[in-house]
Amino acid sequence: MEVKEWRVCSTSWVNVLLEIPSLGYGLHGHDVLVEACLKTERKGILVFDIEVLKKELEEILGKISRKKLSKILGSKDSSLEDLALYVCNELILRLSGIGEISVRVSVPNGSVEVTCYRKG
């Protein structure tokens, strides 16, 4: 039998305020396309309901939309990497036991992606 790897993805936009004073980047806003993917087994008709993933992603992004990410994180710096990790960690908490989650954040000149999973 062939082994298949399944990924279910959903995307949404967010406008977030980032700053990296340690590198000389002041406060600035970005429109960011956020893609969240679950890698898990297919145990029935669906791998995972895309609408559920979309709802969770939009709720997470709604909490940070048009806000300073550094303030939410309690840090001086906030980068695209921090945004990706924040979303990934929030999804892991909300969708426990699902498998591996990856989050890609994209701006016009490139993207950053992180994969996270719950230990144990």
Side-chain angles (χ1 to χ4, degrees), residues 23-65:
L23 296 178
Y25 296 105
L27 185 65
H28 59 287
H30 276 289
D31 288 322
V32 182
L33 180 62
V34 180
E35 178 183 49
C37 298
L38 304 175
K39 185 170 103 176
T40 189
E41 295 178 22
R42 183 178 180 188
K43 295 179 182 171
I45 225 167
L46 299 175
V47 176
F48 189 82
D49 189 334
I50 292 173
E51 293 302 318
V52 171
L53 179 57
K54 177 81 168 176
K55 177 183 168 278
E56 295 295 340
L57 177 60
E58 287 183 344
E59 283 181 12
I60 292 166
L61 297 179
K63 292 180 179 181
I64 62 172
S65 180

Side-chain angles (χ1 to χ4, degrees), residues 105-116:
V105 296
S106 301
V107 293
N109 59 339
S111 64
V112 174
E113 184 172 351
V114 66
T115 300
C116 53

